[in-house]
Amino acid sequence: MSSKKHFVVLDGLRGVAALAVLIFHFAEIIFPDLADNFIAHGFLAVDFFFCLSGFVIAYAYQNRIANMGIGDFLVGRLIRLHPLVVLGSLLGLFAFLFDPITSYQASYSFGEKFVIFMASILMIPYPVMEERYFNLFSLNAPAWSLFWEYVINIFFVLFLFRLSRYSLMALLLIASGILAYVSYSSGNLLGGWNGETFWHGGARVLYSFTAGMILFRFNWIIQNKLGFIGLSVLLVLAFILPYNEWSWATELLIVLFYFPLLVSLGAGTLISQSLKSICEFSGNISYPLYTTHYCVMWLFGGYYASYAPSGITLIGVVVIGVILLISLAYFAFRFYDLPLRKYLNAKRSV
């Protein structure tokens, strides 16, 4: 495993996508109409994550599953993913209970709060809070995509890794048809996060994860000199495309073709030593940033609705919020996630 190449630029791009999600979540509170949102397609970062995950998981495990076994694979994924699921749930619970602006938490009994929290910890979709738009995970909204990441990982170890390359291609064609239907019928690919659009998340992960696997299985890696900066610009362009009546089609094309292309380019590009540490930092904070930021979004939403800040005040609040959340993500990685994973992996190998 140690001899395998590490795709540092892909780590960096994952961080760029996580930052886009963070900014999108701030922006969607300020601009409820996507047509007014300057990063209207920031939510597509999730599809990029899924494609990246399919490539990386296949690269790391495709030829090891037979020897390591199903249980060992699943334990490894649990150790990688779940510590930050727990932290995100705890931060979400704390923000919910001690929100200084909103008061609807008082309408939930201790038992109801306990069940909501346990559902979040155990990754059981539980869309019951109307005040939070029936998110699948009321305490940590982005966990909906982690639920589907768990599901596709289980499918990978039980089924997907066994498929031939051409069987995977057939599955990809089926998944693309399902995704096209979801996009056209809904008008966008924003769904998956609440009870009403639950199955949209399955359509999104099935296509993008399979596409990532295919990139590895066919070795579709494009050698290039675009580097981290060039590919970051190309990735951000997908997020800042204007939202309009044809967005269902542009979003579909981005997910079907553009994101797999970027993953292929990211796996084949060069990285300068001067940017390597930036990519490593970006990759390290990407997952903790994604899993820990939304507790602040609920607080910001209440603040914005109550005080309607504008101008330099609003910009200052958002900029400070972004900096603080990046700092929180770094500390979560450095002092919680990394040491806990090292401990759990050491116990596992005993």
Side-chain angles (χ1 to χ4, degrees), residues 74-75 93 98 119 153 162 188 192 205-208 265 293 334 340 348:
L74 292 177
V75 169
L93 177 66
F98 301 103
N153 275 238
R162 303 176 189 275
N188 56 47
V205 72
L206 179 62
Y207 177 84
S208 291
L265 291 169
H293 77 276
R334 179 71 177 80
L340 181 55
R348 171 188 174 197

Side-chain angles (χ1 to χ4, degrees), residues 40-53:
H41 290 98
F43 60 85
L44 290 179
V46 173
D47 302 272
F48 181 74
F49 291 147
F50 286 150
C51 186
L52 193 57
S53 178

Side-chain angles (χ1 to χ4, degrees), residues 19-43 239-240 293-294 296-297 300-301 304 314 317-319 322 325:
L19 183 59
V21 170
L22 170 60
I23 295 172
F24 170 76
H25 284 152
F26 270 115
E28 72 171 344
I29 294 170
I30 301 168
F31 308 107
D33 188 342
L34 285 174
D36 299 326
N37 193 332
F38 71 95
I39 189 169
H41 290 98
F43 60 85
F239 303 143
I240 63 174
H293 77 276
Y294 213 84
V296 173
M297 294 301 104
F300 175 73
Y304 184 78
L314 178 59
V317 168
V318 172
V319 170
V322 169
L325 284 166

Side-chain angles (χ1 to χ4, degrees), residues 129-245:
M129 293 184 65
E130 183 178 1
E131 302 90 345
R132 294 190 168 183
Y133 313 104
F134 297 105
N135 271 273
L136 295 184
F137 299 93
S138 303
L139 299 180
N140 194 21
W144 73 267
S145 65
L146 302 179
F147 167 82
W148 285 111
E149 180 72 19
Y150 273 121
V151 170
I152 202 68
N153 275 238
I154 293 170
F155 270 82
F156 172 80
V157 74
L158 294 179
F159 175 65
L160 294 178
F161 91 95
R162 303 176 189 275
L163 296 181
S164 69
R165 296 189 304 174
Y166 295 102
S167 294
L168 276 175
M169 287 294 293
L171 177 62
L172 189 73
L173 288 174
I174 295 170
S176 66
I178 296 171
L179 194 68
Y181 171 77
V182 167
S183 187
Y184 177 74
S185 61
S186 302
N188 56 47
L189 283 175
L190 182 57
W193 55 271
N194 67 353
E196 184 179 357
T197 64
F198 173 77
W199 292 108
H200 296 191
R204 292 172 71 179
V205 72
L206 179 62
Y207 177 84
S208 291
F209 189 93
T210 305
M213 283 188 65
I214 285 173
L215 292 179
F216 167 73
R217 295 284 292 276
F218 281 88
N219 195 29
W220 285 343
I221 296 175
I222 303 173
Q223 303 300 320
N224 64 93
K225 298 181 180 180
L226 287 169
F228 173 63
I229 300 298
L231 288 170
S232 294
V233 171
L234 292 177
L235 181 58
V236 170
L237 287 176
F239 303 143
I240 63 174
L241 281 176
Y243 190 87
N244 55 50
E245 62 180 319

Side-chain angles (χ1 to χ4, degrees), residues 270-281:
L270 302 175
I271 179 68
S272 65
Q273 284 301 118
S274 60
L275 292 177
K276 185 176 180 181
S277 59
I278 294 176
C279 286
E280 290 173 344
F281 175 81

